[in-house]
Amino acid sequence: MNYLEFEKPLAEIEGKAEELRALARANEAMDVQSEAEALDRKASTLLNDLYGKLSRWQKCQVARHPDRPHCKDYVKALFTEFTPLAGDRNFADDHAVIGGMARFDDRPVVVIGHEKGNDTSSRIDHNFGMARPEGYRKAIRLMDLADRFNLPVITLVDTPGAYPGKGAEERGQSEAIARSTQKCLTIGVPLVSVIIGEGGSGGAVAFATGNRLVMLEHAIYSVISPEGCASILWKDAEKMREAAEALRLTAQDLLELGVTDAVVPEPVGGAHRSKDEVVASVGKSISAMLKDLDGLDRVELVAARRKKYLDLGKKGLTA
């Protein structure tokens, strides 16, 4: 278990409980069950206390937890017959973006998502979920394919933001993001999005501009990271806590602002403590969103999507 900074007191208690059980396993004559159970109860109470009053910055930490279920976990559990499609037919295949044809509830769909990786090697391979221009152009190609064959599009968003490197800029990063966002707005099929961790900047918007958007309870969605915001406004990245508060980037903030349509609950302690439960909840949420859009024709889907985002601007004027 990887513990976050604010979870250190919890780590100590759970560590002591595990030490007692390890001693008992080594010496069957030792009876430590009651002491271990007391520590378990203390840890459970502390866990509830910690997660009952998370600050916005602490939610950012939970959203970035390395053990949270990633895109591949959702694809493996929720989709069948997944056939990955690679490349943008222009420059390269971006491993930060995975996507392809699949079945969801035995219904043919196209699924696209950011993949961060789960160990050092895979994180480097997937560039920590930060897509380059070819990743967004791959997504555009897949959305075109979905539009041509009348397949719903499901996107799973988890990225710190688009990759800011020199090569990415040279190959038209901003143009690729803009065209991916534009494609989201113009395809005539249902497009539903789930922010499963970080929804960072235009890199997230390029996948999440759909008919329906839901966020996990401890996910975040913002125009910029708290560290980036602090560096610009205060010239000090260490003011990320103040920036997180000002950005109002949590799922609860964005539900209040009308940016997200619903919040998917997580187990106490975050999605990483019960991955199967969270994945199942996301599956139910996707099913509900697709069912809600059934019966709308192409013109109605595009019109409803455009209205959704135009209305957000109106809400922003009074928020």
Side-chain angles (χ1 to χ4, degrees):
M1 172 72 73
N2 290 300
Y3 290 93
L4 299 170
E5 179 185 0
F6 67 88
E7 293 178 319
K8 286 181 180 177
L10 179 66
E12 293 177 6
I13 297 171
E14 291 187 338
K16 288 177 182 177
E18 181 53 35
E19 285 176 12
L20 286 176
R21 291 192 170 93
L23 289 172
R25 287 192 294 271
N27 184 354
E28 295 182 0
M30 293 186 65
D31 183 9
V32 298
Q33 187 64 24
S34 59
E35 291 89 341
E37 289 178 351
L39 287 171
D40 288 341
R41 290 192 294 272
K42 186 175 180 180
S44 178
T45 299
L46 180 57
L47 185 67
N48 279 281
D49 289 344
L50 287 173
Y51 277 79
K53 53 183 180 182
L54 291 178
S55 69
R56 289 183 174 93
W57 172 243
Q58 288 170 336
K59 279 186 174 283
C60 290
Q61 293 177 279
V62 179
R64 296 168 174 173
H65 198 290
D67 296 334
R68 283 178 77 85
H70 294 149
C71 181
K72 284 188 174 181
D73 298 313
Y74 290 96
V75 171
K76 182 178 179 181
L78 298 177
F79 299 87
T80 58
E81 299 180 32
F82 176 62
T83 303
L85 299 176
D88 66 347
R89 301 298 185 267
N90 183 35
F91 182 77
D93 181 39
D94 187 348
H95 293 178
V97 175
I98 64 172
M101 313 281 287
R103 285 185 175 272
F104 177 79
D105 288 344
D106 204 33
R107 175 181 185 176
V109 299
V110 167
V111 57
I112 307 168
H114 300 96
E115 174 57 43
K116 286 184 171 181
N118 53 17
D119 57 29
T120 301
S121 176
S122 63
R123 285 171 190 145
I124 292 171
D125 181 48
H126 293 290
N127 201 32
F128 301 87
M130 296 185 291
R132 297 175 171 89
E134 43 273 22
Y136 296 105
R137 292 181 178 128
K138 174 164 67 173
I140 293 169
R141 184 170 74 85
L142 293 175
M143 285 188 273
D144 277 332
L145 186 68
D147 199 24
R148 185 182 313 156
F149 292 103
N150 199 33
L151 303 176
V153 177
I154 299 166
T155 64
L156 302 168
V157 178
D158 188 16
T159 179
Y163 183 62
K166 179 182 177 183
E169 295 297 333
E170 289 174 342
R171 296 192 299 277
Q173 182 73 289
S174 59
E175 181 266 349
I177 291 171
R179 289 197 180 277
S180 183
T181 307
Q182 180 187 42
K183 184 59 66 176
C184 287
L185 286 167
T186 57
I187 57 175
V189 295
L191 196 167
V192 299
S193 302
V194 184
I195 298 181
I196 58 176
E198 285 186 275
S201 192
V205 173
F207 283 14
T209 312
N211 293 96
R212 297 289 184 273
L213 170 70
V214 300
M215 297 176 65
L216 286 181
E217 181 180 355
H218 301 310
I220 58 172
Y221 190 22
S222 175
V223 69
I224 192 172
S225 70
E227 295 91 337
C229 177
S231 295
I232 292 170
L233 294 184
W234 290 284
K235 312 299 182 186
D236 182 2
E238 290 302 311
K239 287 192 175 289
M240 65 275 192
R241 294 169 182 80
E242 292 88 337
E245 291 297 321
L247 284 167
R248 299 178 69 184
L249 41 58
T250 70
Q252 295 72 28
D253 290 326
L254 297 172
L255 181 64
E256 181 181 346
L257 292 169
V259 174
T260 186
D261 298 300
V263 175
V264 179
E266 296 186 29
V268 177
H272 53 283
R273 284 186 172 260
S274 184
K275 294 184 180 182
D276 291 344
E277 179 184 342
V278 170
V279 170
S281 296
V282 167
K284 291 176 182 177
S285 184
I286 293 172
S287 293
M289 289 190 288
L290 290 176
K291 184 177 180 181
D292 192 36
L293 297 170
D294 282 343
L296 296 180
D297 63 27
R298 299 176 67 85
V299 174
E300 290 171 327
L301 284 166
V302 173
R305 201 179 301 134
R306 288 178 61 85
K307 184 177 185 303
K308 172 182 173 67
Y309 291 97
L310 288 172
D311 285 349
L312 281 182
K314 294 175 184 176
K315 289 180 183 177
L317 293 174
T318 58

